Amino acid sequence: MHPIDEDTSAWLGCPTPLEMYKHQCALLEDEITQSQALLRKARQNIAGLVQLNDVLATRLAEVKEVLKTAQVEVAQLKERCSEPAILSMKLVAEQRDYLFRENQRLMLELKRAEAPST
């Protein structure tokens, strides 16, 4: 029977504590390198997003200015369309349309009256 307290560090293929520490350090160095690469990429992404945000903010300001100009123009057009001259022109156009329809109706009645009855 083998004693349980046997020192296994001398067995063939088993790493020494120093070798295990070196291996652990190498793993940590790889993780740090990967983390630095990810951090670098994240910083580039953030820089790109900041630039995109600046472009969008500038474009938003331009669009707001165009919107203000358009709103002023619409207000002016509404004001001009409600002037008495425009309203009277609308009234004349409505009267013209009414008289045209009435004329067409009367002409149709006249044709019916003149048609020979059979």
Side-chain angles (χ1 to χ4, degrees), residues 30-77:
D30 288 343
E31 285 184 30
I32 290 172
T33 304
Q34 289 175 354
S35 297
Q36 287 174 341
L38 290 174
L39 181 60
R40 194 174 316 112
K41 185 176 180 180
R43 285 180 177 159
Q44 290 173 350
N45 287 343
I46 291 170
L49 290 173
V50 168
Q51 289 175 345
L52 182 60
N53 185 48
D54 291 343
V55 169
L56 290 175
T58 303
R59 182 68 178 134
L60 178 64
E62 293 171 0
V63 169
K64 282 184 178 180
E65 191 63 35
V66 170
L67 177 63
K68 284 181 185 178
T69 304
Q71 286 174 335
V72 168
E73 187 176 337
V74 166
Q76 290 172 349
L77 288 172

Side-chain angles (χ1 to χ4, degrees), residues 12-23:
L12 184 61
C14 289
T16 63
L18 179 61
E19 290 173 334
M20 288 191 298
Y21 291 136
K22 286 182 179 180
H23 180 70

Side-chain angles (χ1 to χ4, degrees), residues 3-11 14 17:
I4 295 177
D5 293 333
E6 184 177 347
D7 184 18
T8 60
S9 63
W11 289 6
C14 289

Side-chain angles (χ1 to χ4, degrees), residues 94-107:
E94 288 173 4
Q95 290 174 348
R96 179 203 65 209
D97 293 341
Y98 171 75
L99 291 174
F100 178 76
R101 286 190 303 271
E102 191 64 23
N103 185 27
Q104 294 297 318
R105 186 185 64 80
L106 291 173
M107 285 177 56

